Structures are given as structure tokens and as C-alpha cells.
Amino acid sequence: MGLFNQVKLQTPESIELEFTLAGIGSRLLALGLDYLVILTSALVLLWLWSFLALQTLDLLTPVLGETDGLELWLLAIAFLAFSALYGGYFILFEWLWQGQTPGKRIAQIRVVGTTGRPANLYQASLRMLLRPVDEFLFIGFFCILLQAQEQRLGDLVAGTLVVRTTPPAPKSFTLSAQAQVVAAYLLETADLSHLHPDEFGVVRQYLQRRQQFNARSKAKVSLDLAESIKASLGLQQIPAQTTADQFLEGVYLAYQGDRP
């Protein structure tokens, strides 16, 4: 299996998106970083809970006398709090951060559905529920190594893939020098996280196929698409003397450079 396998996904809008699979190394790095965050948070939580539990026992011991039952309750609550931290960490981050956790963001990978969209709450929850199974005897590790699309059990059930956040480099079109200027401008002034992967897919498809349009159709399609992307990014203006084509080329470059 190659280190950087690519996969093509079809969106519900019939847009073909191409992704590079994350690979086992990037996923292990992300998981290690995530567990470091969880462990640090758990230690802080344990320290706070121990302090509160001791204060509670000191207050109630003179009243109740025996506190064995209370100690078990406090221990059970601590266990539930850790379980909520562990499960909630992966579910909430993957849902709210469009398929990323802090570890995945640093490793530059993300979880997407088989339609190319970021993982939703349902998918993030399924992945989390099967995480203990995947980690038992390294079942998930071997699934990733042996499965064509590098999916662990949680991915197979949830219908997700883990991909690199940097799209493949353009293969069938050239970019103008002005595109670099536009890209630099966008990276400084625009929040490219507002650009949906489907919109990026449309931009890429247009750049790949624009030579197939006649001049009139090409001008209309590029202008309409540029206006749509400007609205998505909330842009009021773009660099002077920039054509719609050059703007779309800049969006393509900037989107690749700004992926978290």
C-alpha cells in the first residue's frame, strides 16, 4: 500500500473531489497528541475533583459517621467525568471543527464522510463508540494497514475516511503569476474556513475544464463562480486588475495553503 494513496469521492451535487488518505503515521501522530491533551486535562480534573471530594468528606463525616458509601459515589462520579471527557473530546471536536481534533489539526489531517463533507455529529459519535474496539489488540491499526481506503472499524461503520488537509497539486491546468498575488491577499484578509469543500471542488473542476468552454461561456461561468466564492468569503474587494479566472486561481492556491 502506498504511503500517499489518493481517493476520489462523489458529492450529492455530483462534484468529484480528490483527497489524499492520511496514512498510518499521521494518524498515530494525531492520536498521540490527542491523548496527551486528554491526559493533561484528566490530571487537572482529577486534582480538582480530589480537592472537592476531600472537602465534601470533611464536611459530611461528622454528620454521617460512616462515609464508605459516599466514597464509592464520589469515585463513580469521577469515573463518569473521565468517560465524558474521553468520549466528548473526540465527538465534539470532530463535529465542531469539521472533522478535526487538536491532534488532527497539528498533523494536518481530517475526517470526512464518503461524500467528501466533514464528519457530522452522527458519524463522529459512531467513530467514538467503536474506538475502544479499534484500540483493543491494535485491531484498528491492522484494519488501516490492510484496508484499501485505510479505514478502521469506526470509519467503516460511520462511512468516513481520514484524509490529508492539503489537496493534490493541480495536474491538468496552469496558474498565472497574478494567482500568487491573489492567494497572498486572501491568506491575509479572508477566512478560508468559510469555503466549503464542495465549493473548492467546483473551483478546481472549472480550472481543469475551462479550456473546453467557448469564450462567451467561459467568461460567464468564471464571473458567476467568482462572485459566488466572494460572497462565501465575505469579500468586498479583490486586488486591482484581477480577472475572474485569476481570482479563482488565487482561491485554489490560498485554500491549499490555509488548510489548518
Side-chain angles (χ1 to χ4, degrees):
M1 180 176 295
L3 184 59
F4 297 111
N5 294 327
Q6 292 184 354
V7 62
K8 292 183 179 180
L9 304 178
Q10 195 85 4
T11 73
E13 296 82 12
S14 298
I15 298 168
E16 189 178 80
L17 300 177
E18 186 175 357
F19 295 94
T20 301
L21 296 176
I24 190 67
S26 297
R27 296 181 69 163
L28 287 175
L29 172 62
L31 185 62
L33 293 171
D34 284 329
Y35 276 150
L36 181 61
V37 175
I38 291 173
L39 178 60
T40 302
S41 302
L43 290 175
V44 173
L45 180 66
L46 179 61
W47 181 83
L48 290 174
W49 184 246
S50 299
F51 175 79
L52 292 174
L54 288 174
Q55 295 296 318
T56 302
L57 290 174
D58 288 342
L59 288 174
L60 295 181
T61 298
V63 178
L64 300 178
E66 282 292 330
T67 58
D68 290 344
L70 181 60
E71 290 173 354
L72 290 176
W73 274 106
L74 293 174
L75 183 62
I77 293 173
F79 177 77
L80 289 175
F82 176 78
S83 299
L85 170 66
Y86 176 73
Y89 176 90
F90 288 101
I91 293 173
L92 292 178
F93 271 118
E94 288 185 359
W95 175 41
L96 298 175
W97 278 17
Q98 296 193 329
Q100 288 189 307
T101 59
K104 288 184 176 68
R105 178 162 292 190
I106 294 173
Q108 296 187 328
I109 62 177
R110 74 169 64 241
V111 182
V112 299
T114 52
T115 61
R117 299 184 186 276
N120 57 36
L121 179 59
Y122 174 74
Q123 290 171 319
S125 299
L126 282 179
R127 295 184 84 251
M128 178 57 225
L129 288 174
L130 285 167
R131 184 174 293 278
V133 178
D134 277 313
E135 293 178 357
F136 179 70
L137 296 179
F138 303 103
I139 291 175
F141 176 84
F142 290 111
C143 283
I144 293 171
L145 289 180
L146 299 175
Q147 215 272 336
Q149 293 188 327
E150 301 180 7
Q151 296 168 291
R152 63 177 177 87
L153 291 179
D155 291 316
L156 291 169
V157 173
T160 56
L161 299 169
V162 182
V163 300
R164 297 172 65 85
T165 57
T166 304
K171 297 178 180 178
S172 58
F173 58 89
T174 58
L175 303 176
S176 64
Q178 181 67 10
Q180 298 285 350
V181 177
V182 177
Y185 173 81
L186 292 174
L187 289 173
E188 291 181 1
T189 61
D191 183 359
L192 292 168
S193 65
H194 292 161
L195 187 66
H196 195 277
D198 281 355
E199 294 177 297
F200 170 77
V202 173
V203 171
R204 184 179 60 196
Q205 281 206 342
Y206 166 75
L207 293 175
Q208 289 173 334
R209 300 177 182 179
R210 57 184 165 175
Q211 300 304 325
Q212 302 172 10
F213 292 88
N214 60 47
R216 184 176 178 180
S217 297
K218 179 174 176 291
K220 184 180 187 307
V221 171
S222 64
L223 184 59
D224 290 345
L225 182 54
E227 290 298 325
S228 175
I229 298 300
K230 283 172 61 179
S232 295
L233 297 178
L235 290 174
Q236 300 300 320
Q237 61 182 10
I238 60 176
Q241 299 181 337
T242 299
T243 67
D245 262 33
Q246 290 168 343
F247 171 71
L248 295 173
E249 291 172 354
V251 169
Y252 183 91
L253 289 177
Y255 188 74
Q256 293 183 99
D258 189 57
R259 300 309 293 275

